Amino acid sequence: MSTTRVLILGTLLDEPLNGYQVRRRLETMGADNWANVAFGSIYHGLGKMADEGLLDVVESGKGGKTVYAINDTGRFEFHRLLMSLWYEIGPIVDPFQVAMTFMDRMDRAHLLGALRFRTDELKRSIAMLDRALGSKQAFGAPRHVDENLRLSSGMLAAQLAWVEEAVKKVEEGDLP
């Protein structure tokens, strides 16, 4: 299932928007931090969902911007997809796990350097997310968007704890 599809349909629930406006709303919600959304795919997604009968074109060509509105079929599809996201546990896809798979292919010094660098980056990312709490509302995001930030921060904190433990294990010769 495409989470981008759910994000686009959900963004259109309140009012018709053009592609740029959809993108801005998703940016305001911080979707670039917690969803795998390629903002360039929004325009393609809008056109495709219009072709599929999920969206209606309300305005075409005004300044080159097409305005889309969600219709009843699109609302039904949004709710169907939304419920499946709530009830299905999917894999958390993290490219870092690919790197972990091959840690035995790195010499100890490079592995420790990479782990220590990752520790610093994770700490910076967690601090950035924590600073963003509450600030999104000033730009129109609903309060519950903070929960996405808290969840992202928590997942990064879990990875940070793992990385810090891994550093100790590598230093002691227990990894890889």
Side-chain angles (χ1 to χ4, degrees):
M1 170 198 325
S2 168
T3 52
T4 302
R5 189 176 190 85
V6 176
L7 287 166
I8 291 171
L9 290 170
T11 302
L12 291 168
L13 288 173
D14 294 328
E15 65 181 313
L17 301 168
N18 63 42
Y20 177 76
Q21 292 168 317
V22 169
R23 177 184 174 158
R24 294 295 299 152
R25 294 250 172 114
L26 293 174
E27 287 173 339
T28 298
M29 290 188 280
D32 50 328
N33 290 314
W34 45 261
N36 188 16
V37 59
F39 288 122
S41 65
I42 291 170
Y43 301 95
H44 173 74
L46 287 165
K48 184 173 179 358
M49 286 187 276
D51 291 344
E52 294 171 3
L54 303 175
L55 303 176
D56 296 327
V57 174
V58 238
E59 218 175 290
S60 186
K62 182 179 178 187
K65 296 178 182 175
T66 302
V67 176
Y68 298 90
I70 191 168
N71 57 33
D72 289 340
T73 305
R75 286 178 193 282
F76 178 83
E77 178 68 359
F78 168 76
H79 287 290
R80 185 186 72 75
L81 293 171
L82 178 65
M83 294 313 290
S84 69
L85 289 174
W86 275 103
Y87 287 94
E88 295 173 14
I89 304 295
I92 297 172
V93 179
D94 184 353
F96 177 58
Q97 289 182 282
V98 174
M100 287 173 44
T101 302
F102 298 105
M103 73 168 56
D104 63 330
R105 306 301 176 149
M106 299 173 69
D107 64 60
R108 188 169 182 257
H110 282 105
L111 179 56
L112 281 170
L115 287 167
R116 288 182 179 124
F117 178 83
R118 190 163 194 92
T119 298
D120 293 341
E121 289 299 305
L122 286 165
K123 287 177 181 177
R124 273 192 279 281
S125 295
I126 292 166
M128 179 195 68
L129 288 169
D130 291 347
R131 280 191 307 274
L133 284 171
S135 66
K136 296 279 183 190
Q137 288 75 44
F139 300 99
R143 279 189 5 219
H144 64 270
V145 166
D146 279 351
E147 297 310 312
N148 276 325
L149 296 173
R150 284 186 185 90
L151 179 59
S152 295
S153 180
M155 291 186 328
L156 291 176
Q159 189 179 123
L160 176 60
W162 182 89
V163 170
E164 289 174 335
E165 188 63 29
V167 168
K168 292 175 193 170
K169 288 180 179 180
V170 171
E171 289 172 340
E172 293 168 0
D174 293 334
L175 263 182

